[in-house]
Amino acid sequence: MSWSQITVQESDFNLSEQYELLRQKAGDAGAIVLFTGLVREVYSMEPDRKCQPATVQGLTLEHYPGMTEKCLQEIAQKANSRWPLLATRIIHRIGMLVPSDQIVLVGTASAHRSAAFDAAQFLMDYLKTRAPFWKKQQTLKGSHWVESRQSDSDTIKRWQLHD
Amino acid sequence: MLEIHYFASVREAMQRSKQQLSLPEATMTVGGLVELLSRQDACFKNVYESGKPLLVAVNQTMVDSTHPVCDGDEVAFFPPMTGG
């Protein structure tokens, strides 16, 4: 049984601690992949969709307590059933964040790199469109909810072709 | 009694994060519930008729409009997710 841990938290996380945790829990891993998502200062999609770049001053992340953890567990289980993973780690932050802050961490450990890379990509693709998180951006022009991108929904399709 | 939760832009448009509702029938579909809420609540009608995608979860699982809703269920309405 592979090791898996999922955390939704306000506080920041430390990459080297998470790496050491995966290394310790994964046993005989030959590959560990860690992905980190950051808050960007320039965001190119305004709600009016005219695509004027806006300077983001901050971001508030809301989620659906209970359902979030359940969804992330299901996504991790899906990844585990597709690839021979030794360990998976997901951390998603909520609350107020500012540009360059870490938002999300996905970590995978496997005997070989291709499984670890693919599973990390899969976890991120699913997490972005299936886990109940919502971003609200604060810019100089006011605050608005980030709208979902069709491209994010499309990326999931490549995994579904093989389902 | 049904517990209904609203999140993100839907929560703001509804001006509340949750509410309770007595079901007029023992069981109805999500689509029936949406029609009921649209009749009862002007805020909900605006959200529903805005043309923006509205997602629904029953007992914390995403469902479509044909899914049944029963007494004691937890229903949530929200826009498409934008995490990660």
Side-chain angles (χ1 to χ4, degrees), chain A residues 107-135:
Chain A
T108 52
S110 187
H112 302 288
R113 71 179 185 282
S114 64
F117 271 128
D118 287 353
Q121 181 96 329
F122 172 93
L123 287 169
M124 274 310 299
D125 286 349
Y126 268 79
L127 181 152
K128 281 190 90 78
T129 49
R130 296 289 173 87
F133 291 102
W134 300 276
K135 290 191 189 109

PDB file of all heavy atoms in Angstrom, chain A residues 107-135:
ATOM      1  N   GLY A 107       3.516  16.124  -4.766  1.00  0.00           N
ATOM      2  CA  GLY A 107       4.729  15.324  -4.744  1.00  0.00           C
ATOM      3  C   GLY A 107       4.420  13.870  -5.036  1.00  0.00           C
ATOM      4  O   GLY A 107       3.414  13.338  -4.556  1.00  0.00           O
ATOM      5  N   THR A 108       5.255  13.244  -5.871  1.00  0.00           N
ATOM      6  CA  THR A 108       5.048  11.830  -6.193  1.00  0.00           C
ATOM      7  C   THR A 108       6.383  11.102  -6.111  1.00  0.00           C
ATOM      8  O   THR A 108       7.423  11.664  -6.468  1.00  0.00           O
ATOM      9  CB  THR A 108       4.489  11.655  -7.620  1.00  0.00           C
ATOM     10  OG1 THR A 108       5.343  12.367  -8.524  1.00  0.00           O
ATOM     11  CG2 THR A 108       3.074  12.172  -7.746  1.00  0.00           C
ATOM     12  N   ALA A 109       6.350   9.872  -5.654  1.00  0.00           N
ATOM     13  CA  ALA A 109       7.559   9.056  -5.609  1.00  0.00           C
ATOM     14  C   ALA A 109       7.266   7.716  -6.248  1.00  0.00           C
ATOM     15  O   ALA A 109       6.202   7.128  -6.038  1.00  0.00           O
ATOM     16  CB  ALA A 109       8.003   8.854  -4.166  1.00  0.00           C
ATOM     17  N   SER A 110       8.216   7.269  -7.067  1.00  0.00           N
ATOM     18  CA  SER A 110       8.037   5.993  -7.755  1.00  0.00           C
ATOM     19  C   SER A 110       9.412   5.374  -8.004  1.00  0.00           C
ATOM     20  O   SER A 110      10.442   6.013  -7.783  1.00  0.00           O
ATOM     21  CB  SER A 110       7.308   6.244  -9.079  1.00  0.00           C
ATOM     22  OG  SER A 110       6.987   5.015  -9.684  1.00  0.00           O
ATOM     23  N   ALA A 111       9.416   4.126  -8.472  1.00  0.00           N
ATOM     24  CA  ALA A 111      10.697   3.483  -8.771  1.00  0.00           C
ATOM     25  C   ALA A 111      11.377   4.169  -9.958  1.00  0.00           C
ATOM     26  O   ALA A 111      12.586   4.304 -10.006  1.00  0.00           O
ATOM     27  CB  ALA A 111      10.472   2.001  -9.059  1.00  0.00           C
ATOM     28  N   HIS A 112      10.550   4.611 -10.928  1.00  0.00           N
ATOM     29  CA  HIS A 112      11.110   5.213 -12.142  1.00  0.00           C
ATOM     30  C   HIS A 112      10.498   6.578 -12.414  1.00  0.00           C
ATOM     31  O   HIS A 112       9.368   6.843 -12.031  1.00  0.00           O
ATOM     32  CB  HIS A 112      10.885   4.285 -13.331  1.00  0.00           C
ATOM     33  CG  HIS A 112      11.479   2.934 -13.118  1.00  0.00           C
ATOM     34  ND1 HIS A 112      12.833   2.704 -13.138  1.00  0.00           N
ATOM     35  CD2 HIS A 112      10.904   1.743 -12.813  1.00  0.00           C
ATOM     36  CE1 HIS A 112      13.068   1.428 -12.870  1.00  0.00           C
ATOM     37  NE2 HIS A 112      11.901   0.820 -12.676  1.00  0.00           N
ATOM     38  N   ARG A 113      11.252   7.417 -13.133  1.00  0.00           N
ATOM     39  CA  ARG A 113      10.833   8.817 -13.266  1.00  0.00           C
ATOM     40  C   ARG A 113       9.555   9.035 -14.065  1.00  0.00           C
ATOM     41  O   ARG A 113       8.793   9.944 -13.776  1.00  0.00           O
ATOM     42  CB  ARG A 113      11.969   9.658 -13.858  1.00  0.00           C
ATOM     43  CG  ARG A 113      12.245   9.386 -15.317  1.00  0.00           C
ATOM     44  CD  ARG A 113      13.352  10.263 -15.869  1.00  0.00           C
ATOM     45  NE  ARG A 113      13.532  10.091 -17.294  1.00  0.00           N
ATOM     46  CZ  ARG A 113      14.163   9.060 -17.847  1.00  0.00           C
ATOM     47  NH1 ARG A 113      14.662   8.118 -17.095  1.00  0.00           N
ATOM     48  NH2 ARG A 113      14.262   8.967 -19.167  1.00  0.00           N
ATOM     49  N   SER A 114       9.298   8.212 -15.097  1.00  0.00           N
ATOM     50  CA  SER A 114       8.148   8.522 -15.952  1.00  0.00           C
ATOM     51  C   SER A 114       6.841   8.439 -15.157  1.00  0.00           C
ATOM     52  O   SER A 114       5.953   9.284 -15.331  1.00  0.00           O
ATOM     53  CB  SER A 114       8.113   7.636 -17.188  1.00  0.00           C
ATOM     54  OG  SER A 114       7.933   6.305 -16.804  1.00  0.00           O
ATOM     55  N   ALA A 115       6.730   7.465 -14.286  1.00  0.00           N
ATOM     56  CA  ALA A 115       5.511   7.341 -13.472  1.00  0.00           C
ATOM     57  C   ALA A 115       5.379   8.543 -12.535  1.00  0.00           C
ATOM     58  O   ALA A 115       4.282   9.101 -12.369  1.00  0.00           O
ATOM     59  CB  ALA A 115       5.532   6.040 -12.671  1.00  0.00           C
ATOM     60  N   ALA A 116       6.498   8.964 -11.944  1.00  0.00           N
ATOM     61  CA  ALA A 116       6.453  10.090 -11.004  1.00  0.00           C
ATOM     62  C   ALA A 116       6.080  11.385 -11.723  1.00  0.00           C
ATOM     63  O   ALA A 116       5.241  12.163 -11.250  1.00  0.00           O
ATOM     64  CB  ALA A 116       7.802  10.234 -10.298  1.00  0.00           C
ATOM     65  N   PHE A 117       6.668  11.627 -12.913  1.00  0.00           N
ATOM     66  CA  PHE A 117       6.343  12.830 -13.702  1.00  0.00           C
ATOM     67  C   PHE A 117       4.874  12.809 -14.138  1.00  0.00           C
ATOM     68  O   PHE A 117       4.149  13.787 -13.963  1.00  0.00           O
ATOM     69  CB  PHE A 117       7.214  12.898 -14.967  1.00  0.00           C
ATOM     70  CG  PHE A 117       8.524  13.610 -14.789  1.00  0.00           C
ATOM     71  CD1 PHE A 117       9.718  13.011 -15.171  1.00  0.00           C
ATOM     72  CD2 PHE A 117       8.576  14.908 -14.279  1.00  0.00           C
ATOM     73  CE1 PHE A 117      10.932  13.663 -15.024  1.00  0.00           C
ATOM     74  CE2 PHE A 117       9.788  15.571 -14.131  1.00  0.00           C
ATOM     75  CZ  PHE A 117      10.975  14.938 -14.507  1.00  0.00           C
ATOM     76  N   ASP A 118       4.460  11.698 -14.738  1.00  0.00           N
ATOM     77  CA  ASP A 118       3.091  11.606 -15.268  1.00  0.00           C
ATOM     78  C   ASP A 118       2.054  11.753 -14.158  1.00  0.00           C
ATOM     79  O   ASP A 118       1.053  12.449 -14.316  1.00  0.00           O
ATOM     80  CB  ASP A 118       2.869  10.274 -15.989  1.00  0.00           C
ATOM     81  CG  ASP A 118       3.583  10.222 -17.334  1.00  0.00           C
ATOM     82  OD1 ASP A 118       4.126  11.260 -17.744  1.00  0.00           O
ATOM     83  OD2 ASP A 118       3.600   9.146 -17.954  1.00  0.00           O
ATOM     84  N   ALA A 119       2.293  11.091 -13.032  1.00  0.00           N
ATOM     85  CA  ALA A 119       1.327  11.142 -11.933  1.00  0.00           C
ATOM     86  C   ALA A 119       1.228  12.562 -11.357  1.00  0.00           C
ATOM     87  O   ALA A 119       0.139  13.031 -11.014  1.00  0.00           O
ATOM     88  CB  ALA A 119       1.706  10.140 -10.848  1.00  0.00           C
ATOM     89  N   ALA A 120       2.359  13.256 -11.281  1.00  0.00           N
ATOM     90  CA  ALA A 120       2.335  14.633 -10.749  1.00  0.00           C
ATOM     91  C   ALA A 120       1.518  15.535 -11.671  1.00  0.00           C
ATOM     92  O   ALA A 120       0.704  16.346 -11.221  1.00  0.00           O
ATOM     93  CB  ALA A 120       3.762  15.167 -10.594  1.00  0.00           C
ATOM     94  N   GLN A 121       1.713  15.365 -12.977  1.00  0.00           N
ATOM     95  CA  GLN A 121       0.966  16.145 -13.969  1.00  0.00           C
ATOM     96  C   GLN A 121      -0.525  15.836 -13.878  1.00  0.00           C
ATOM     97  O   GLN A 121      -1.368  16.735 -13.890  1.00  0.00           O
ATOM     98  CB  GLN A 121       1.499  15.757 -15.358  1.00  0.00           C
ATOM     99  CG  GLN A 121       0.849  16.475 -16.486  1.00  0.00           C
ATOM    100  CD  GLN A 121       1.665  17.679 -16.916  1.00  0.00           C
ATOM    101  OE1 GLN A 121       2.340  18.307 -16.108  1.00  0.00           O
ATOM    102  NE2 GLN A 121       1.607  18.014 -18.173  1.00  0.00           N
ATOM    103  N   PHE A 122      -0.840  14.558 -13.779  1.00  0.00           N
ATOM    104  CA  PHE A 122      -2.220  14.097 -13.656  1.00  0.00           C
ATOM    105  C   PHE A 122      -2.881  14.693 -12.398  1.00  0.00           C
ATOM    106  O   PHE A 122      -3.996  15.215 -12.452  1.00  0.00           O
ATOM    107  CB  PHE A 122      -2.200  12.560 -13.584  1.00  0.00           C
ATOM    108  CG  PHE A 122      -3.518  11.899 -13.274  1.00  0.00           C
ATOM    109  CD1 PHE A 122      -4.355  11.471 -14.296  1.00  0.00           C
ATOM    110  CD2 PHE A 122      -3.905  11.663 -11.957  1.00  0.00           C
ATOM    111  CE1 PHE A 122      -5.557  10.842 -14.014  1.00  0.00           C
ATOM    112  CE2 PHE A 122      -5.106  11.032 -11.668  1.00  0.00           C
ATOM    113  CZ  PHE A 122      -5.937  10.625 -12.697  1.00  0.00           C
ATOM    114  N   LEU A 123      -2.176  14.628 -11.278  1.00  0.00           N
ATOM    115  CA  LEU A 123      -2.722  15.157 -10.021  1.00  0.00           C
ATOM    116  C   LEU A 123      -3.024  16.651 -10.157  1.00  0.00           C
ATOM    117  O   LEU A 123      -4.083  17.118  -9.740  1.00  0.00           O
ATOM    118  CB  LEU A 123      -1.730  14.945  -8.867  1.00  0.00           C
ATOM    119  CG  LEU A 123      -1.584  13.510  -8.358  1.00  0.00           C
ATOM    120  CD1 LEU A 123      -0.395  13.391  -7.411  1.00  0.00           C
ATOM    121  CD2 LEU A 123      -2.862  13.063  -7.645  1.00  0.00           C
ATOM    122  N   MET A 124      -2.113  17.393 -10.777  1.00  0.00           N
ATOM    123  CA  MET A 124      -2.341  18.835 -10.940  1.00  0.00           C
ATOM    124  C   MET A 124      -3.497  19.115 -11.893  1.00  0.00           C
ATOM    125  O   MET A 124      -4.332  19.979 -11.627  1.00  0.00           O
ATOM    126  CB  MET A 124      -1.067  19.522 -11.461  1.00  0.00           C
ATOM    127  CG  MET A 124      -0.097  19.931 -10.397  1.00  0.00           C
ATOM    128  SD  MET A 124      -0.833  20.876  -9.035  1.00  0.00           S
ATOM    129  CE  MET A 124      -1.478  22.318  -9.881  1.00  0.00           C
ATOM    130  N   ASP A 125      -3.553  18.385 -12.997  1.00  0.00           N
ATOM    131  CA  ASP A 125      -4.623  18.595 -13.982  1.00  0.00           C
ATOM    132  C   ASP A 125      -5.995  18.352 -13.354  1.00  0.00           C
ATOM    133  O   ASP A 125      -6.937  19.113 -13.572  1.00  0.00           O
ATOM    134  CB  ASP A 125      -4.453  17.664 -15.191  1.00  0.00           C
ATOM    135  CG  ASP A 125      -3.313  18.098 -16.101  1.00  0.00           C
ATOM    136  OD1 ASP A 125      -2.800  19.218 -15.919  1.00  0.00           O
ATOM    137  OD2 ASP A 125      -2.947  17.316 -16.992  1.00  0.00           O
ATOM    138  N   TYR A 126      -6.105  17.286 -12.564  1.00  0.00           N
ATOM    139  CA  TYR A 126      -7.380  16.979 -11.932  1.00  0.00           C
ATOM    140  C   TYR A 126      -7.700  17.954 -10.818  1.00  0.00           C
ATOM    141  O   TYR A 126      -8.842  18.400 -10.671  1.00  0.00           O
ATOM    142  CB  TYR A 126      -7.402  15.527 -11.434  1.00  0.00           C
ATOM    143  CG  TYR A 126      -7.967  14.602 -12.475  1.00  0.00           C
ATOM    144  CD1 TYR A 126      -7.178  14.181 -13.539  1.00  0.00           C
ATOM    145  CD2 TYR A 126      -9.303  14.195 -12.447  1.00  0.00           C
ATOM    146  CE1 TYR A 126      -7.700  13.373 -14.530  1.00  0.00           C
ATOM    147  CE2 TYR A 126      -9.828  13.380 -13.434  1.00  0.00           C
ATOM    148  CZ  TYR A 126      -9.025  12.972 -14.476  1.00  0.00           C
ATOM    149  OH  TYR A 126      -9.558  12.180 -15.465  1.00  0.00           O
ATOM    150  N   LEU A 127      -6.677  18.275 -10.040  1.00  0.00           N
ATOM    151  CA  LEU A 127      -6.875  19.173  -8.904  1.00  0.00           C
ATOM    152  C   LEU A 127      -7.425  20.534  -9.356  1.00  0.00           C
ATOM    153  O   LEU A 127      -8.313  21.097  -8.724  1.00  0.00           O
ATOM    154  CB  LEU A 127      -5.516  19.317  -8.221  1.00  0.00           C
ATOM    155  CG  LEU A 127      -5.331  20.145  -6.986  1.00  0.00           C
ATOM    156  CD1 LEU A 127      -4.166  19.568  -6.187  1.00  0.00           C
ATOM    157  CD2 LEU A 127      -5.076  21.590  -7.276  1.00  0.00           C
ATOM    158  N   LYS A 128      -6.918  21.030 -10.487  1.00  0.00           N
ATOM    159  CA  LYS A 128      -7.318  22.368 -10.937  1.00  0.00           C
ATOM    160  C   LYS A 128      -8.791  22.475 -11.307  1.00  0.00           C
ATOM    161  O   LYS A 128      -9.385  23.534 -11.174  1.00  0.00           O
ATOM    162  CB  LYS A 128      -6.472  22.794 -12.149  1.00  0.00           C
ATOM    163  CG  LYS A 128      -5.093  23.289 -11.777  1.00  0.00           C
ATOM    164  CD  LYS A 128      -4.389  23.913 -12.960  1.00  0.00           C
ATOM    165  CE  LYS A 128      -4.649  25.384 -13.094  1.00  0.00           C
ATOM    166  NZ  LYS A 128      -3.871  26.200 -12.164  1.00  0.00           N
ATOM    167  N   THR A 129      -9.359  21.385 -11.806  1.00  0.00           N
ATOM    168  CA  THR A 129     -10.742  21.472 -12.283  1.00  0.00           C
ATOM    169  C   THR A 129     -11.730  20.627 -11.481  1.00  0.00           C
ATOM    170  O   THR A 129     -12.931  20.740 -11.682  1.00  0.00           O
ATOM    171  CB  THR A 129     -10.849  21.038 -13.760  1.00  0.00           C
ATOM    172  OG1 THR A 129     -10.176  19.797 -13.899  1.00  0.00           O
ATOM    173  CG2 THR A 129     -10.205  22.051 -14.671  1.00  0.00           C
ATOM    174  N   ARG A 130     -11.241  19.778 -10.572  1.00  0.00           N
ATOM    175  CA  ARG A 130     -12.145  18.873  -9.863  1.00  0.00           C
ATOM    176  C   ARG A 130     -12.219  19.117  -8.358  1.00  0.00           C
ATOM    177  O   ARG A 130     -13.135  18.637  -7.711  1.00  0.00           O
ATOM    178  CB  ARG A 130     -11.730  17.414 -10.106  1.00  0.00           C
ATOM    179  CG  ARG A 130     -11.838  16.976 -11.557  1.00  0.00           C
ATOM    180  CD  ARG A 130     -13.288  16.854 -11.985  1.00  0.00           C
ATOM    181  NE  ARG A 130     -13.420  16.605 -13.397  1.00  0.00           N
ATOM    182  CZ  ARG A 130     -13.396  15.402 -13.955  1.00  0.00           C
ATOM    183  NH1 ARG A 130     -13.216  14.331 -13.217  1.00  0.00           N
ATOM    184  NH2 ARG A 130     -13.543  15.262 -15.246  1.00  0.00           N
ATOM    185  N   ALA A 131     -11.218  19.790  -7.802  1.00  0.00           N
ATOM    186  CA  ALA A 131     -11.249  20.011  -6.349  1.00  0.00           C
ATOM    187  C   ALA A 131     -11.876  21.387  -6.088  1.00  0.00           C
ATOM    188  O   ALA A 131     -11.551  22.360  -6.773  1.00  0.00           O
ATOM    189  CB  ALA A 131      -9.838  19.931  -5.781  1.00  0.00           C
ATOM    190  N   PRO A 132     -12.808  21.460  -5.115  1.00  0.00           N
ATOM    191  CA  PRO A 132     -13.564  22.710  -4.917  1.00  0.00           C
ATOM    192  C   PRO A 132     -12.772  23.828  -4.226  1.00  0.00           C
ATOM    193  O   PRO A 132     -12.928  24.097  -3.052  1.00  0.00           O
ATOM    194  CB  PRO A 132     -14.769  22.264  -4.084  1.00  0.00           C
ATOM    195  CG  PRO A 132     -14.308  21.044  -3.365  1.00  0.00           C
ATOM    196  CD  PRO A 132     -13.283  20.381  -4.237  1.00  0.00           C
ATOM    197  N   PHE A 133     -11.906  24.468  -5.043  1.00  0.00           N
ATOM    198  CA  PHE A 133     -11.182  25.667  -4.616  1.00  0.00           C
ATOM    199  C   PHE A 133     -11.576  26.793  -5.562  1.00  0.00           C
ATOM    200  O   PHE A 133     -11.778  26.555  -6.755  1.00  0.00           O
ATOM    201  CB  PHE A 133      -9.663  25.473  -4.750  1.00  0.00           C
ATOM    202  CG  PHE A 133      -9.058  24.496  -3.790  1.00  0.00           C
ATOM    203  CD1 PHE A 133      -8.727  23.219  -4.201  1.00  0.00           C
ATOM    204  CD2 PHE A 133      -8.788  24.860  -2.477  1.00  0.00           C
ATOM    205  CE1 PHE A 133      -8.148  22.316  -3.324  1.00  0.00           C
ATOM    206  CE2 PHE A 133      -8.201  23.965  -1.593  1.00  0.00           C
ATOM    207  CZ  PHE A 133      -7.881  22.694  -2.019  1.00  0.00           C
ATOM    208  N   TRP A 134     -11.660  27.994  -5.030  1.00  0.00           N
ATOM    209  CA  TRP A 134     -11.962  29.160  -5.872  1.00  0.00           C
ATOM    210  C   TRP A 134     -11.028  30.309  -5.496  1.00  0.00           C
ATOM    211  O   TRP A 134     -10.840  30.597  -4.312  1.00  0.00           O
ATOM    212  CB  TRP A 134     -13.413  29.598  -5.692  1.00  0.00           C
ATOM    213  CG  TRP A 134     -14.371  28.527  -6.061  1.00  0.00           C
ATOM    214  CD1 TRP A 134     -14.822  28.238  -7.316  1.00  0.00           C
ATOM    215  CD2 TRP A 134     -14.976  27.566  -5.184  1.00  0.00           C
ATOM    216  NE1 TRP A 134     -15.666  27.156  -7.271  1.00  0.00           N
ATOM    217  CE2 TRP A 134     -15.780  26.725  -5.975  1.00  0.00           C
ATOM    218  CE3 TRP A 134     -14.912  27.330  -3.810  1.00  0.00           C
ATOM    219  CZ2 TRP A 134     -16.528  25.679  -5.445  1.00  0.00           C
ATOM    220  CZ3 TRP A 134     -15.633  26.276  -3.262  1.00  0.00           C
ATOM    221  CH2 TRP A 134     -16.433  25.463  -4.082  1.00  0.00           C
ATOM    222  N   LYS A 135     -10.510  30.975  -6.559  1.00  0.00           N
ATOM    223  CA  LYS A 135      -9.583  32.088  -6.329  1.00  0.00           C
ATOM    224  C   LYS A 135     -10.283  33.415  -6.580  1.00  0.00           C
ATOM    225  O   LYS A 135     -10.962  33.581  -7.600  1.00  0.00           O
ATOM    226  CB  LYS A 135      -8.428  32.015  -7.333  1.00  0.00           C
ATOM    227  CG  LYS A 135      -7.463  30.897  -7.125  1.00  0.00           C
ATOM    228  CD  LYS A 135      -6.257  31.122  -8.027  1.00  0.00           C
ATOM    229  CE  LYS A 135      -5.342  29.930  -8.051  1.00  0.00           C
ATOM    230  NZ  LYS A 135      -5.380  29.215  -9.336  1.00  0.00           N
TER     231      LYS A 135
END
